[in-house]
Amino acid sequence: MEKKVKRDILTLQGFYLFVFFGIGSLFPLLSVYLSEVEKLNGYQIGLILSIGPVVMIFFQPFWGMLADMKNIHNRLLTITTSITGFAALGYLLFEEFLLFLIVATFLAIFQSAIIPLSDSISLKYTSNAGVNYGNVRLFGSLGFGLAVFVMGRLSEWNPQVIFYAFFLTLVIAALFSKKMPKESYDRPNSLLSGMKDLIKMKKFLVFLGVTFMIFGPNLANNFYFSLFVEDRGGTYTGIGIAFLIAVLSEIPFMKAAGSWIHRLGLLQVALIASLVSLIRWVFYFTEPALALIYASAVIQGFSLGLFIPAGLQYIRDITPSHITATAVTIYSAVGNGLGNWFFTFIGGVIFEEFSIYVVYLFFAALTLVGVLLTVWLLQDDKRTSAETSIQ
């Protein structure tokens, strides 16, 4: 690999490492800070934490369309990353719930641009350079895992350190983004033209459904897994270790994703990841022993570690290059935003009315729909290939 490509890859890896270290520093510990330091009640904390997924639904497509139309992907990423870092300091400046809500909304608006835009840039570059995207994205999992472990200990010394760490690491990430490789993009005719093109694409819409059904439960599990472990007799220390195992286990699977995709195909790998998720939710519904639950944390690495790179590369392959950022941001909004919010909200209702085990049965049922949609896409590809070969 030539020196320039190595330098560019290191830049992309550095960006993901610092961005996800910041995310892992703040969001897993924010609810504890708001409860123990600011003395907010459960309803207030729930409203603040739910702002992010809702904002993503509306703002992620906007950032993607703006980047595609103006061809300012790198500059927009630098600006939004910097503003996001500064926005988190607002939690240290105010003491009232409504002001915290404003800070959370402002932060979420700009944070919603970071991952989709960086994914769009990284996907395009790694594709052109012939590099495995998973080798870049795995540094995000590494950063998040390290942050959960390190900041959990530091926050016992001073809870406010989570905001300073988030600010510092995102400023560093913004510096990395300025050095990211700049790719040329064909511009769509208008802000909404890219959206109109995507709505006409059957495969894109169906895969959005797959993403909603597969990604949504995996993200909602971040809220319910601790309740599940606690119900099975686990401790908070055990919960933290399980989360660390789950996040770090994504790294080897992301590294292997490229070779899996090359041998099996994008949709085939996405299907394997979806089936693994389905098995995990069914397993949790059976009320397994605590030791088996801790051991099963590795399954998250298997499912998300494969689905994240396969899903993003599939979106890139089926959409025109001039609207890649728009497609990726819509894809992210459906999975990280709408899916996250829907499964977290409905899961809460089911948990209140029934039990945590029925929540996982609900996750399994909807994941099965995602598996079936993936099978349909595979069959549609086979039909299309057969028709092409006949012609």
Side-chain angles (χ1 to χ4, degrees), residues 46-368:
L47 193 55
I48 289 172
L49 296 181
S50 67
I51 285 292
V54 174
V55 166
M56 284 182 184
I57 297 170
F58 299 101
F59 275 90
Q60 281 189 327
F62 165 76
W63 291 121
M65 289 186 289
L66 181 63
D68 280 336
M69 189 186 75
K70 298 293 185 180
N71 199 7
I72 52 171
H73 302 75
N74 297 66
R75 195 188 321 164
L76 196 59
L77 179 61
T78 301
I79 292 170
T80 54
T81 303
S82 301
I83 293 175
T84 302
F86 279 97
L89 298 178
Y91 282 108
L92 299 175
L93 299 177
F94 306 115
E95 297 180 352
E96 296 179 16
F97 164 67
L98 286 177
L99 293 175
F100 286 147
L101 200 60
I102 292 171
V103 170
T105 304
F106 186 76
L107 188 152
I109 287 172
F110 290 94
Q111 186 200 346
S112 67
I114 296 175
I115 303 305
L117 286 179
S118 58
D119 281 342
S120 176
I121 294 167
S122 300
L123 275 170
K124 191 172 182 64
Y125 182 79
T126 53
S127 175
N128 292 340
V131 178
N132 177 18
Y133 165 77
N135 287 342
V136 172
R137 181 60 176 77
L138 66 84
F139 276 77
S141 297
L142 176 62
F144 191 94
L146 289 173
V148 171
F149 180 75
V150 173
M151 300 310 297
R153 294 175 180 272
L154 289 179
S155 63
E156 293 178 2
W157 164 67
N158 182 356
Q160 293 183 340
V161 74
I162 61 176
F163 303 107
Y164 293 115
F166 183 82
F167 162 72
L168 180 62
T169 51
L170 262 74
V171 168
I172 294 172
L175 295 176
F176 271 94
S177 71
K178 292 186 72 174
K179 301 293 184 181
M180 277 185 175
K182 293 177 173 59
E183 300 290 313
S184 59
Y185 296 80
D186 297 325
R187 301 187 189 186
N189 296 326
S190 67
L191 192 62
L192 294 176
S193 64
M195 181 77 79
K196 291 176 182 176
D197 291 340
L198 290 170
I199 290 173
K200 298 174 184 176
M201 297 179 60
K202 181 175 65 176
K203 286 184 179 181
F204 177 75
L205 296 178
V206 173
F207 197 74
L208 287 185
V210 172
T211 304
F212 178 85
M213 301 297 179
I214 305 301
F215 224 72
N218 274 287
L219 293 175
N221 178 61
N222 292 334
F223 292 94
Y224 294 109
F225 186 68
S226 56
L227 294 172
F228 174 66
V229 172
E230 189 178 31
D231 195 82
R232 301 307 300 155
T235 63
Y236 286 109
T237 301
I239 293 168
I241 292 171
F243 267 113
L244 183 63
I245 293 171
V247 173
L248 293 183
S249 67
E250 295 175 11
I251 294 173
F253 288 103
M254 282 190 178
K255 192 170 183 63
S259 60
W260 283 47
I261 289 167
H262 180 71
R263 289 203 310 267
L264 302 175
L266 287 168
L267 283 176
Q268 287 83 350
V269 171
L271 178 61
I272 292 169
S274 303
L275 285 169
V276 171
S277 289
L278 175 60
I279 292 168
R280 184 187 187 189
W281 309 141
V282 172
F283 175 65
Y284 287 175
F285 172 67
T286 63
E287 304 182 25
L290 190 60
L292 292 176
I293 294 170
Y294 289 144
S296 73
V298 178
I299 296 176
Q300 177 169 316
F302 199 118
S303 54
L304 287 185
L306 293 177
F307 190 86
I308 289 173
L312 278 167
Q313 289 179 63
Y314 182 73
I315 291 294
R316 180 203 63 197
D317 284 0
I318 65 171
T319 55
S321 61
H322 67 282
I323 51 173
T324 298
T326 303
V328 169
T329 47
I330 293 172
Y331 164 80
S332 184
V334 169
N336 295 327
L338 184 60
N340 189 357
W341 171 82
F342 175 82
F343 283 94
T344 301
F345 177 75
I346 301 299
V349 174
I350 294 173
F351 175 69
E352 188 69 27
E353 294 294 328
F354 300 99
S355 71
I356 189 65
Y357 307 105
V358 181
V359 171
Y360 283 105
L361 179 63
F362 169 66
F363 287 178
L366 274 292
T367 299
L368 177 60

